[in-house]
Amino acid sequence: MADTQTRKRRGGGRAGAAARRGSAVIDQMPWNPPINIDKPTEPLDQAGIEAIHEGAMRILEEIGIEFYNEEAIGILKEAGCTISGDNVRMGRDFVMEMIGKAPSSFTITPRNPDKTIDVGGKTLLFGNVSSPPNYWDLEIGTKVAGNREMCRNLLKLTQYFNCIHFAGGYPVEPVDIHASVRHLDVLYDKLTLTDKAMHAYSLGKERVEDVMEMVRIAGGLSHEEFEATPRMYTNINSTSPLKHDHPMIDGCLRLARRGQAIVVTPFTLAGAMAPVTMAGAVAQSLAEALCAIALFQYVRPGIPCVIGTFTSNVDMKSGAPAFGTPEYMRSTQMTGQMARFYGLPMRSSGVCAANVPDGQSIWETSNSLWAAVQSGTNMVYHAAGWLEGGLIASPEKFIMDCEILQQIQRYMQPEITATGPDEIALDAIKSVGNDGHFFGIQHTQDRYTTAFYQPFLSDWKNYEGWDVAGGIWTAERAHHMFKEIVTSFEAPPMDDGIRDELADFVARRKAEGGAPTDF
């Protein structure tokens, strides 16, 4: 923690990072979640905002949402909603009253308080890839099922990169661990290999309760301290179209009652799980999210909630999901306008449909990341490491994406657009006049180490220089960095007593059977 505090006091840019680098594998920017200083892109006019809101409200009032959770049905019946079996219809007055109780911003405090994150406002947070069942790296050269070692290595990248601000779900599913105890092993790894904000899957009460207890233990917290402020979060998806399943709603209710943050993200693919028109898909997505947030606000008014968007389109030739498309970008921007209309923080994603870390993977992910920036997103899931529409996690792609994230962070630094006398630089221009150059003057010498972004992965040599150096392509450079990072990785400090208590908890819960499964 003392080292982190020192980093915060020092300046950014290449010189500041170099002074801190020492034996580090790369010269990266310091931990400093960016503030989005740009005005958001707003493709909707006021009439468009009202039309999408009206569509979402009519879905909730006239069509309704299926809640496959008896407790939720009982709560919403008590709240005055119209119940018909599993179908719930709720009036807009109720929805807007409940949404109005949700905070527009909040914090999540992990076991290292120096890694506390502010969710909302203009803060832009990036998270690691989450939940792919498969893995690809350059050494293996093909798609394989994830295992614990792969998961641990991706967690090391999550901790290592300062531009990753929160730890999402499992960066790859370790299918070599039985599902009944997988959450125990992976959360132990996450809590010991990283000190960033934690996620819990809302997939059964045992998993949620176990993760909350492990986060509490790792933070050295009493139950009262844990529940006093968000220490972790969950993300749930609706089952589009127009359904919420039992375990995800159950998990959120458990987290809400203990004061932890909730992200609700419908997964609506236009043309398949939602209307083919983006306005219709966005309206449906909003309806699916707002009804769940209304439920959680009724149960615990003021519980931190984030509205998520995962609205994209399908390839109408094959039916496969497509990401980073123009439609994806516009739907993200539109949802950003609606999130501000409702006064809620927003989540979107860094995604692509590419199968390997190639050019397609970068332009699609870059499109989706810049759409997050343009929309005013607060939490960007899957910001590094995602391939094949979320079916593959790749360490090379993780590192390639972190280069984009650092560039976004640098892009948001206000000194680039500062316009004071030193920046207008009339004295420098006068000293050079019509015949000289700016390389050697004092104005340049005073600033040359911090004036421009310096990449850690991009190669700026000319072709001949690149060829002489081995002609190494980007993914191969990223692979070498990956190997160096995991080989030299040092886990963040943890008190031995807390580590032992975590290990004892995992052992006890494994002996008790962990979470029930049907296999």
Side-chain angles (χ1 to χ4, degrees):
M1 290 185 191
D3 183 54
T4 304
Q5 290 166 351
T6 301
R7 288 198 301 267
K8 284 186 174 181
R9 288 195 295 269
R10 290 172 174 167
R14 191 182 186 193
R20 294 185 296 274
R21 181 177 176 183
S23 60
V25 175
I26 66 168
D27 184 0
Q28 64 171 315
M29 297 175 74
W31 167 274
N32 187 25
I35 302 299
N36 191 338
I37 63 174
D38 285 0
K39 293 181 180 179
T41 299
E42 299 193 329
L44 300 173
D45 59 16
Q46 188 60 37
I49 293 172
E50 293 172 0
I52 289 179
H53 171 65
E54 179 69 14
M57 293 301 104
R58 289 189 63 184
I59 290 169
L60 295 175
E61 291 175 333
E62 300 173 18
I63 302 170
I65 308 292
E66 302 284 310
F67 278 84
Y68 300 136
N69 183 294
E70 291 183 4
E71 182 183 13
I73 290 288
I75 293 168
L76 292 169
K77 183 177 182 179
E78 174 191 285
C81 298
T82 301
I83 311 295
S84 177
D86 295 320
N87 184 269
V88 178
R89 285 178 289 147
M90 51 183 69
R92 67 186 67 198
D93 290 344
F94 169 74
V95 174
M96 295 304 288
E97 179 186 355
M98 293 300 107
I99 297 303
K101 297 179 185 295
S104 60
S105 63
F106 58 92
T107 62
I108 300 177
T109 306
R111 72 175 181 89
N112 179 358
D114 289 340
K115 300 291 177 64
T116 295
I117 54 176
D118 299 313
V119 183
K122 294 184 178 295
T123 303
L124 183 58
L125 303 166
F126 301 119
N128 60 339
V129 62
S130 302
S131 305
N134 303 302
Y135 175 93
W136 185 100
D137 72 25
L138 198 61
E139 184 174 340
I140 297 172
T142 190
K143 179 169 76 172
V144 297
N147 62 35
R148 189 175 186 181
E149 180 184 5
M150 297 166 182
C151 184
R152 285 172 57 88
N153 285 340
L154 289 165
L155 287 171
K156 291 175 183 178
L157 295 183
T158 298
Q159 176 65 17
Y160 181 85
F161 279 97
N162 294 327
C163 60
I164 300 298
H165 307 117
F166 60 92
Y170 313 158
V172 68
E173 286 278 348
V175 297
D176 56 333
I177 307 174
H178 195 271
S180 62
V181 296
R182 186 178 301 164
H183 66 290
L184 297 167
D185 284 337
V186 177
L187 258 295
Y188 179 84
D189 290 345
K190 286 177 74 172
L191 287 166
T192 54
L193 293 175
T194 81
D195 59 4
K196 298 178 181 179
M198 288 289 113
H199 163 277
Y201 286 110
S202 287
L203 297 173
K205 66 178 183 179
E206 291 83 6
R207 292 179 179 86
V208 168
E209 296 290 350
D210 285 346
V211 173
M212 284 195 287
E213 183 63 6
M214 292 178 71
V215 170
R216 185 191 70 79
I217 292 169
L221 305 167
S222 67
H223 290 283
E224 293 75 18
E225 288 170 331
F226 175 79
E227 297 179 12
T229 188
R231 304 285 182 173
M232 54 175 290
Y233 68 100
T234 191
N235 175 83
I236 66 165
N237 305 115
S238 52
T239 307
S240 302
L242 307 180
K243 295 182 287 292
H244 282 287
D245 68 17
H246 181 279
M248 290 195 178
I249 293 296
D250 176 79
C252 288
L253 290 173
R254 292 175 184 276
L255 285 160
R257 289 181 172 123
R258 296 193 66 187
Q260 304 308 305
I262 299 166
V263 183
V264 183
T265 309
F267 183 16
T268 47
L269 287 174
M273 300 144 67
V276 72
T277 53
M278 300 317 294
V282 170
Q284 179 186 310
S285 175
L286 291 169
E288 293 177 6
L290 292 172
C291 66
I293 294 173
L295 166 66
F296 306 140
Q297 294 302 320
Y298 183 81
V299 169
R300 181 159 177 169
I303 192 69
C305 288
V306 176
I307 190 166
T309 176
F310 211 85
T311 298
S312 192
N313 56 287
V314 295
D315 175 1
M316 297 305 285
K317 296 178 181 179
S318 67
F323 296 104
T325 63
E327 293 81 10
Y328 177 94
M329 296 179 74
R330 282 303 195 192
S331 69
T332 303
Q333 295 163 1
M334 292 159 69
T335 304
Q337 284 188 263
M338 301 308 299
R340 288 186 291 279
F341 175 80
Y342 296 118
L344 294 169
M346 179 176 157
R347 169 245 156 136
S348 64
S349 297
V351 289
C352 69
N355 298 308
V356 293
D358 58 6
Q360 176 188 338
S361 77
I362 292 303
W363 74 61
E364 289 179 352
T365 295
S366 185
N367 283 349
S368 62
L369 290 172
W370 280 103
V373 171
Q374 294 164 348
S375 68
T377 288
N378 302 112
M379 298 183 76
V380 185
Y381 269 55
H382 315 300
W386 163 297
L387 288 172
E388 203 198 358
L391 296 178
I392 296 176
S394 161
E396 292 86 2
K397 179 63 163 42
F398 196 112
I399 291 171
M400 292 161 72
D401 290 339
C402 283
E403 182 78 278
I404 304 174
L405 300 182
Q406 281 211 155
Q407 292 187 29
I408 292 172
Q409 181 170 323
R410 171 59 176 165
Y411 176 86
M412 288 301 172
Q413 290 179 337
E415 54 263 36
I416 297 178
T417 52
T419 56
D422 286 345
E423 288 76 33
I424 300 299
L426 286 177
D427 289 342
I429 296 169
K430 184 177 180 180
S431 70
V432 171
N434 305 97
D435 301 319
H437 61 74
F438 288 83
F439 281 115
I441 68 169
Q442 193 63 45
H443 185 272
T444 302
Q445 292 298 307
D446 289 344
R447 296 164 178 79
Y448 80 96
T449 58
T450 59
F452 309 126
Y453 176 76
Q454 287 293 320
F456 66 83
L457 182 62
S458 297
D459 188 331
W460 286 354
K461 294 187 290 291
N462 63 17
Y463 180 87
E464 289 76 16
W466 169 80
D467 191 41
V468 167
I472 301 174
W473 287 45
T474 307
E476 188 177 354
R477 292 197 299 275
H479 180 75
H480 293 323
M481 286 184 185
F482 160 59
K483 290 295 188 179
E484 289 185 59
I485 290 169
V486 297
T487 299
S488 61
F489 180 81
E490 295 182 8
M494 174 178 276
D495 179 83
D496 289 341
I498 288 177
R499 186 185 298 271
D500 291 344
E501 188 177 355
L502 268 179
D504 291 345
F505 178 85
V506 169
R508 176 173 65 79
R509 288 292 295 121
K510 282 185 174 182
E512 294 169 352
T517 67
D518 57 1
F519 57 93

